Amino acid sequence: MSFEIPVRVYIEDTDAGGIVFYGNYLKFFERARTDFLRSIGIEQSVTIENNLIFVVRHIAVDYQSPARLDDVLAISCVVKSIRPTRVLFSQSANRANDGMNLVNAEVEVVAVSMDTLKPRVLPDTLRNTLQQTIGTIDV
Amino acid sequence: MSFEIPVRVYIEDTDAGGIVFYGNYLKFFERARTDFLRSIGIEQSVTIENNLIFVVRHIAVDYQSPARLDDVLAISCVVKSIRPTRVLFSQSANRANDGMNLVNAEVEVVAVSMDTLKPRVLPDTLRNTLQQTIGTIDV
Amino acid sequence: MSFEIPVRVYIEDTDAGGIVFYGNYLKFFERARTDFLRSIGIEQSVTIENNLIFVVRHIAVDYQSPARLDDVLAISCVVKSIRPTRVLFSQSANRANDGMNLVNAEVEVVAVSMDTLKPRVLPDTLRNTLQQTIGTIDV
Amino acid sequence: MSFEIPVRVYIEDTDAGGIVFYGNYLKFFERARTDFLRSIGIEQSVTIENNLIFVVRHIAVDYQSPARLDDVLAISCVVKSIRPTRVLFSQSANRANDGMNLVNAEVEVVAVSMDTLKPRVLPDTLRNTLQQTIGTIDV
């Protein structure tokens, strides 16, 4: 399953260099992960109530070309692999009007108990729901 | 008591207009309030443990002149008045190298219980500590 | 004309108090102003090319009730009045699912030359376009 | 040369999970890079005037342990290697009170012309200044 959301670049996202600040793509990627999870029935405010949050453990981000004010970006999110306590996402930011690839990222998140912040095994239903999205990625 | 902290303007604070984004002064003002409270012995992480947080209820901000990349600002914070559940702060951002006044604000915060977010009366010691700063404002 | 946009609250917008950080509503309001201006044909990246940017001169914000993670907000933007170099907007944030009013703001912006940051008179076409939205506000 | 700056965690940096939002470390790392460059005589506002900006090309970030409200962090910045148009930095965030390592990052920046955003060779003096910091890293 290929999931993506549109993100408009507002003045808040830009910096004095006239382009989107490099840290702000991590907001865009997080929005896409959240909306992806919600689209398969996993609501963040619900997992928090169940004492589970996803914490980012590792990211690698390639910045190919900068986005600018008023650009509309397509931010993608797909599950690449699942481990007992972790999920690896592959994400990208493409410019919507011409499809130009701007930024690519791999984001590994770990499930932790919100109170202790210790890793915990993904609940079965959550794991299965994520697993089902892998077999159906559009290529 | 006149309290102020220095804040350097980094690229994260600026926008494509080449100046500090108007919302980011609210971060600077919040940093100064937090440091002011800490300087008189009120630690935010402690008040949170005691189920009390300060929530901003009203702000009025005058933007006189913009700050730019690399500027160092002096952000001030003084208590103007105290009511049973509320504290009114007066704050400003001045450019450090020439003292030019850039932004002025009034910020009213209300003490609320963190779990219910309902207003609660300021604990006596906290109120007294705040009260003592009023009599000693430098003019 | 009553203009509004939906804004989803993401984790980036919240703080350790569990609610939206007070400065982040200024991002939401700016997004709504930008989209409002775009909806009447005024594109920010175009006005920047013409050496005109809108700089916020004054804001007054009332925080009635906090927004939380995953909330969807309706952010409104209407023109209240126009002066030679300035435009006054009235804006609000309501929770979408029950219409509860959370935050209200008045935002005064001034048109400035981007190079000098000095105020400049609004171009006639821009002023007329804004003026036409005032007569048609839904009440 | 080992360079580091202290960064206090404010409420703006945290999220509803009670910890620092993962994207905000990129702000901390950028502040340290900027201050590091300033400490060796390279002022960002000056390089912008000379039509040169550094754009981040690649980052890899390991999040070991989360920072929390009121924590003071030591953010480090050292030059690892220099290529004709690029500089690779190694950075980390450690908790100041006990030295615990929280986050580590590698950040590759590329020098670009501000108007075209095309890569450009580092000016000799700038390259030499950076080069001199490599030989003197404390280990």
Side-chain angles (χ1 to χ4, degrees):
Chain A
M1 186 172 70
S2 175
F3 179 88
E4 63 180 42
I5 61 167
V7 167
R8 169 74 75 167
V9 174
Y10 290 102
I11 192 92
E12 72 190 76
D13 304 310
T14 61
D15 64 29
I19 59 178
V20 171
F21 180 68
Y22 83 125
N24 289 340
Y25 293 96
L26 272 58
K27 298 183 181 177
F28 302 162
F29 290 140
E30 195 281 335
R31 294 181 202 171
R33 291 198 305 280
T34 299
D35 287 356
F36 165 74
L37 292 174
R38 186 183 292 116
S39 77
I40 58 173
I42 303 170
E43 193 93 9
Q44 197 164 20
S45 50
V46 174
T47 66
I48 285 180
E49 278 169 28
N50 291 322
N51 194 31
L52 182 149
I53 55 173
F54 287 111
V55 174
V56 174
R57 178 66 183 72
H58 183 79
I59 58 171
V61 187
D62 260 309
Y63 300 87
Q64 303 285 346
S65 197
R68 293 169 175 284
L69 188 61
D70 290 343
D71 280 353
V72 177
L73 309 179
I75 310 293
S76 73
C77 177
V78 297
V79 177
K80 266 189 88 171
S81 64
I82 305 174
R83 289 162 61 192
T85 63
R86 298 185 183 192
V87 184
L88 181 63
F89 294 96
S90 180
Q91 305 202 249
S92 64
N94 293 340
R95 199 162 52 206
N97 67 344
D98 61 2
M100 186 173 182
N101 179 236
L102 305 182
V103 182
N104 299 302
E106 288 208 340
V107 179
E108 190 185 47
V109 303
V110 57
V112 301
S113 300
M114 193 176 165
D115 46 9
T116 63
L117 292 178
K118 296 256 193 277
R120 43 175 287 184
V121 172
L122 290 169
D124 278 353
T125 52
L126 199 153
R127 181 192 172 90
N128 290 339
T129 303
L130 289 169
Q131 191 70 51
Q132 285 171 21
T133 70
I134 297 186
T136 57
I137 294 172
D138 305 331
V139 193
Chain B
M1 189 172 69
S2 176
F3 181 88
E4 65 181 40
I5 61 168
V7 167
R8 169 76 75 169
V9 174
Y10 290 102
I11 192 92
E12 70 188 76
D13 304 311
T14 60
D15 64 29
I19 58 177
V20 171
F21 180 67
Y22 83 126
N24 289 340
Y25 292 96
L26 273 58
K27 298 183 181 177
F28 302 161
F29 290 140
E30 195 281 336
R31 293 181 202 171
R33 290 198 305 278
T34 299
D35 286 356
F36 165 74
L37 291 174
R38 185 183 294 115
S39 77
I40 57 173
I42 304 171
E43 194 91 7
Q44 197 164 19
S45 50
V46 174
T47 66
I48 285 180
E49 276 168 30
N50 290 323
N51 193 32
L52 181 149
I53 55 173
F54 287 111
V55 174
V56 173
R57 178 65 184 73
H58 183 78
I59 58 170
V61 187
D62 260 307
Y63 299 88
Q64 303 286 345
S65 196
R68 294 169 173 284
L69 189 61
D70 290 342
D71 280 353
V72 177
L73 308 179
I75 310 293
S76 73
C77 176
V78 296
V79 177
K80 266 189 89 171
S81 63
I82 306 173
R83 289 162 60 191
T85 64
R86 300 185 180 189
V87 184
L88 181 64
F89 294 97
S90 179
Q91 304 201 250
S92 64
N94 293 340
R95 200 161 53 205
N97 67 345
D98 63 0
M100 186 174 180
N101 179 234
L102 305 181
V103 182
N104 299 303
E106 288 209 340
V107 179
E108 189 186 48
V109 304
V110 57
V112 302
S113 300
M114 193 175 165
D115 46 10
T116 62
L117 292 177
K118 296 257 194 279
R120 44 175 285 184
V121 172
L122 290 169
D124 278 351
T125 53
L126 201 153
R127 181 193 172 89
N128 289 339
T129 304
L130 289 169
Q131 190 71 49
Q132 285 169 21
T133 70
I134 296 186
T136 58
I137 294 172
D138 304 330
V139 194
Chain C
M1 187 172 68
S2 174
F3 179 88
E4 65 180 41
I5 61 167
V7 167
R8 169 76 75 168
V9 174
Y10 290 102
I11 192 92
E12 72 190 75
D13 304 311
T14 61
D15 64 29
I19 58 179
V20 170
F21 180 67
Y22 83 126
N24 289 340
Y25 293 96
L26 273 58
K27 299 183 181 178
F28 302 162
F29 290 139
E30 195 280 335
R31 294 181 201 170
R33 291 198 305 278
T34 299
D35 287 357
F36 165 73
L37 292 174
R38 185 184 292 114
S39 77
I40 58 173
I42 303 171
E43 193 93 6
Q44 197 163 20
S45 49
V46 174
T47 66
I48 285 180
E49 277 169 31
N50 291 323
N51 193 31
L52 181 149
I53 55 172
F54 286 111
V55 173
V56 173
R57 179 65 183 74
H58 183 80
I59 58 171
V61 187
D62 259 307
Y63 299 87
Q64 303 285 345
S65 196
R68 293 169 174 284
L69 189 61
D70 290 342
D71 280 352
V72 177
L73 309 179
I75 309 293
S76 73
C77 177
V78 297
V79 177
K80 267 189 88 172
S81 63
I82 305 173
R83 289 161 59 191
T85 64
R86 299 186 182 191
V87 184
L88 180 64
F89 294 97
S90 180
Q91 305 202 248
S92 65
N94 293 339
R95 198 161 55 205
N97 67 344
D98 62 0
M100 186 172 179
N101 178 235
L102 304 181
V103 182
N104 299 300
E106 288 208 339
V107 179
E108 190 186 47
V109 303
V110 57
V112 301
S113 301
M114 193 175 165
D115 46 8
T116 63
L117 293 177
K118 295 257 195 277
R120 45 175 285 185
V121 171
L122 290 169
D124 278 352
T125 53
L126 201 153
R127 181 193 172 89
N128 289 340
T129 303
L130 288 169
Q131 190 71 50
Q132 285 170 22
T133 70
I134 297 185
T136 59
I137 294 172
D138 305 331
V139 194
Chain D
M1 187 174 67
S2 176
F3 180 88
E4 64 182 40
I5 61 167
V7 167
R8 169 76 74 167
V9 175
Y10 290 102
I11 193 91
E12 71 189 77
D13 304 309
T14 61
D15 64 28
I19 57 178
V20 170
F21 180 67
Y22 84 126
N24 289 341
Y25 294 97
L26 272 59
K27 298 183 182 178
F28 302 161
F29 290 139
E30 195 281 336
R31 294 180 203 172
R33 292 198 305 279
T34 300
D35 286 356
F36 165 73
L37 292 174
R38 185 184 293 116
S39 77
I40 58 172
I42 304 170
E43 193 93 6
Q44 197 164 18
S45 49
V46 174
T47 66
I48 286 181
E49 276 168 31
N50 291 322
N51 194 31
L52 181 149
I53 54 173
F54 287 112
V55 174
V56 174
R57 178 66 184 72
H58 182 79
I59 57 170
V61 187
D62 260 307
Y63 299 87
Q64 303 285 347
S65 197
R68 293 169 175 284
L69 187 62
D70 290 343
D71 281 352
V72 177
L73 308 179
I75 310 293
S76 74
C77 176
V78 297
V79 177
K80 266 189 89 171
S81 64
I82 305 174
R83 289 162 60 192
T85 64
R86 298 186 183 190
V87 184
L88 180 64
F89 294 97
S90 179
Q91 304 200 249
S92 64
N94 293 341
R95 199 162 51 207
N97 65 345
D98 61 0
M100 187 174 180
N101 179 235
L102 305 182
V103 182
N104 299 301
E106 288 208 340
V107 180
E108 190 185 48
V109 303
V110 57
V112 303
S113 300
M114 193 175 164
D115 46 8
T116 63
L117 292 177
K118 297 256 195 276
R120 45 175 286 185
V121 172
L122 290 169
D124 278 352
T125 53
L126 200 153
R127 180 194 173 87
N128 289 340
T129 303
L130 288 169
Q131 190 70 50
Q132 284 170 21
T133 70
I134 297 186
T136 58
I137 293 173
D138 304 330
V139 194

